[in-house]
Amino acid sequence: MAAAAAVVTPSGLDDGVSRSRGDGAGEVAVERGPGAAYHMFVVMEDLVEKLKLLRYEEELLRKSNLKPPSRHYFALPTNPGEQFYMFCTLAAWLINKAGRPFEQPQEYDDPNATISNILSELRSFGRTADFPPSKLKSGYGEHVCYVLDCLAEEALKYIGFTWKRPSYPVEELEEETVPEDDAELTLNKVDEEFVEEETDNEENFIDLNVLKAQTYRLDMNESAKQEDILESTTDAAEWGLEVERVLPQLKVTIRTDNKDWRIHVDQMHQHKSGIESALKETKGFLDKLHNEISRTLEKIGSREKYINNQLEHLVQEYRAAQAQLSEARERYQQGNGGVTERTRLLSEVTEELEKVKQEMEEKGSSMTDGAPLVKIKQSLTKLKQETVQMDIRIGVVEHTLLQSKLKEKSNMTRDMHATVIPEAAIGSY
């Protein structure tokens, strides 16, 4: 079944281009080329530019006191914990920028729940995510770059951003100045070279001015002594030897300048003749190679058609299996989201149960403790003592009251006897 996935295209060879995860996710997967490993670096650079368009430095980084990520921050592993926190923060901010309410994740939140919420928001935008959520836990990689890039595109769509045509500045045409051709050989230049050669090689060349002066003096002497010059006294052999000795020094050599246009023309003619001769030899080999490549391409095309016809039913089966796999993954994602929600509820119930257990332990410890009972006994003893004292005081008060009553009664009887006796005495009289 895996061999049927790499169906040969009619173009002749596999192009090796890796499709993005957002385009053609339901189609037949194309084999990834050698440059797919570096595709996430390109996506990351595009993501940084989109975040700059969304002004994330002013609206997110400065408010949250975060450092701006580098151009390849989510493409290379540096610090997984920090990268995952930055990924969740950026994803939440982009979802809010796209017009969907999303709470900013905290540092101690459940990562599975956070990833599940981010992927559900991504699918609500119509984007596909056919990869396991555990790929996002590391905080880096192509899946992280893909999710953030999709959210950034949705945020740009929501704010109404559109790419405009680039405006190129109008360049002013400068007047072309024809440079002077220094390659031409002028008489002044030849004279200057002659002077330089004379100054550089004074020891090897004869001074012409000295020769002119000597010849001038000789002419004057000859004119003054014409009568003496009637016949030459110089030996012809010696003269010939002197001429042969001086002749190499009398030669005038002109240095060849590489800037001379004549030399350039000669070189062009030489290169042209060389190219023509080489072309005659290689043209036959190229024609033969062209014919062989054409025949090979024809064979490849026929083999492609044959293979496609033979593997047609396998390709259909693979597509059906791929569709079933995508449906199973979708159900798995939904079930995983439900499990995450129930896990969160279980954690809340567990926390409440721990609180109830703690309260029960506190009440049980307070019930089994004998200190309150001791305090109650001490209080009862104290109350009894105070009751006895109060009884004593009440008895003393009652005794005092009884004495006062008896005393008052005795006083009253005494007063009554005192009043009755005088009346009896008066009657007797």
Side-chain angles (χ1 to χ4, degrees):
M1 296 297 292
V7 179
V8 184
T9 57
S11 59
L13 293 172
D14 187 8
D15 53 358
V17 178
S18 62
R19 298 181 182 174
S20 64
R21 305 189 73 86
D23 298 334
E27 298 176 359
V28 179
V30 181
E31 186 179 356
R32 295 163 64 89
Y38 305 97
H39 180 65
M40 60 181 174
F41 292 93
V42 180
V43 176
M44 182 62 203
E45 291 183 357
D46 293 342
L47 173 62
V48 172
E49 298 298 331
K50 292 174 184 177
L51 291 175
K52 288 181 180 179
L53 292 174
L54 292 170
R55 302 174 62 85
Y56 82 113
E57 295 178 350
E58 294 83 1
E59 298 182 6
L60 177 64
L61 298 183
R62 292 180 182 176
K63 292 181 180 179
S64 303
N65 293 325
L66 298 174
K67 295 181 181 179
S70 61
R71 300 189 69 85
H72 300 148
Y73 182 76
F74 292 111
L76 298 173
T78 55
N79 188 352
E82 180 183 352
Q83 286 177 318
F84 179 74
Y85 179 69
M86 179 64 77
F87 162 70
C88 295
T89 305
L90 276 177
W93 181 74
L94 289 172
I95 292 171
N96 289 322
K97 290 289 288 184
R100 301 289 180 85
F102 195 85
E103 294 182 359
Q104 193 71 21
Q106 301 300 324
E107 187 175 358
Y108 299 102
D109 289 348
D110 186 11
N112 294 322
T114 305
I115 292 173
S116 178
N117 294 332
I118 292 172
L119 291 179
S120 62
E121 291 292 338
L122 182 66
R123 293 189 186 95
S124 65
F125 287 117
R127 302 282 183 156
T128 58
D130 53 349
F131 54 86
S134 60
K135 295 290 186 180
L136 302 178
K137 276 190 178 180
S138 59
Y140 68 91
E142 59 176 342
H143 304 93
V144 173
C145 296
Y146 164 70
V147 171
L148 291 177
D149 186 64
C150 293
L151 294 176
E153 288 181 359
E154 296 298 330
L156 289 174
K157 289 179 182 178
Y158 182 77
I159 64 175
F161 178 80
T162 55
W163 298 97
K164 298 180 181 179
R165 291 182 177 271
S167 58
Y168 301 99
V170 180
E171 298 181 356
E172 297 180 357
L173 298 176
E174 298 180 357
E175 296 181 357
E176 296 182 357
T177 57
V178 180
E180 296 180 356
D181 192 2
D182 295 336
E184 295 185 358
L185 187 64
T186 58
L187 294 176
N188 295 328
K189 201 168 184 180
V190 173
D191 294 337
E192 291 176 359
E193 291 179 356
F194 286 161
V195 171
E196 290 177 358
E197 289 179 0
E198 290 174 359
T199 56
D200 293 338
N201 303 321
E202 290 180 354
E203 296 179 356
N204 298 327
F205 294 94
I206 300 174
D207 193 354
L208 297 178
N209 293 326
V210 176
L211 290 176
K212 288 180 181 179
Q214 290 178 359
T215 54
Y216 179 73
R217 286 196 298 271
L218 290 172
D219 291 338
M220 293 298 292
N221 293 329
E222 287 177 358
S223 61
K225 298 178 181 180
Q226 292 181 357
E227 65 276 4
D228 295 337
I229 306 176
L230 295 177
E231 60 181 357
S232 176
T233 59
T234 304
D235 190 3
E238 294 178 356
W239 182 269
L241 292 174
E242 184 68 19
V243 169
E244 290 179 357
R245 185 181 69 80
V246 179
L247 183 61
Q249 299 178 359
L250 295 177
K251 289 183 179 180
V252 178
T253 58
I254 300 176
R255 296 178 182 176
T256 58
D257 191 2
N258 292 328
K259 296 181 180 180
D260 189 4
W261 63 272
R262 296 179 182 87
I263 296 176
H264 292 173
V265 171
D266 293 337
Q267 291 178 354
M268 289 170 62
H269 286 298
Q270 292 176 2
H271 292 319
K272 181 181 179 183
S273 60
I275 290 171
E276 289 177 352
S277 61
L279 180 62
K280 291 179 181 178
E281 296 177 0
T282 57
K283 189 174 181 180
F285 295 105
L286 292 175
D287 292 338
K288 183 178 179 181
L289 182 62
H290 175 69
N291 295 329
E292 292 179 357
I293 291 172
S294 299
R295 289 194 299 270
T296 304
L297 289 176
E298 291 177 357
K299 291 180 180 179
I300 291 172
S302 61
R303 291 293 181 182
E304 286 175 2
K305 293 179 181 178
Y306 175 75
I307 291 173
N308 291 331
N309 292 328
Q310 292 293 325
L311 300 179
E312 184 67 27
H313 63 286
L314 296 177
V315 172
Q316 292 179 357
E317 292 179 359
Y318 177 76
R319 288 177 180 174
Q322 191 73 17
Q324 293 177 0
L325 178 61
S326 61
E327 292 177 358
R329 285 180 177 175
E330 187 69 24
R331 290 195 299 270
Y332 172 74
Q333 294 296 332
Q334 294 176 358
N336 191 14
V339 170
T340 304
E341 183 66 23
R342 287 172 175 79
T343 304
R344 185 180 62 81
L345 293 175
L346 178 62
S347 62
E348 293 178 356
V349 172
T350 305
E351 290 178 359
E352 293 179 357
L353 179 61
E354 291 294 332
K355 291 180 181 179
V356 172
K357 285 182 179 180
Q358 187 176 0
E359 292 177 358
M360 290 177 65
E361 288 178 357
E362 291 177 355
K363 290 181 179 180
S365 62
S366 63
M367 291 174 66
T368 56
D369 191 7
L373 183 60
V374 173
K375 290 181 180 180
I376 291 171
K377 289 181 179 180
Q378 292 176 357
S379 300
L380 289 173
T381 305
K382 190 175 181 180
L383 284 173
K384 289 180 180 180
Q385 292 176 359
E386 290 179 354
T387 304
V388 171
Q389 292 178 0
M390 289 297 293
D391 290 338
I392 294 170
R393 289 180 182 178
I394 291 170
V396 172
V397 171
E398 287 179 352
H399 180 69
T400 306
L401 182 62
L402 181 60
Q403 285 182 353
S404 63
K405 285 181 179 181
L406 291 174
K407 187 177 181 180
E408 185 179 359
K409 186 177 182 181
S410 62
N411 290 333
M412 287 177 64
T413 55
R414 188 178 63 233
D415 291 339
M416 289 176 63
H417 286 295
T419 54
V420 169
I421 293 171
E423 288 180 356
I426 292 171
S428 64
Y429 286 109

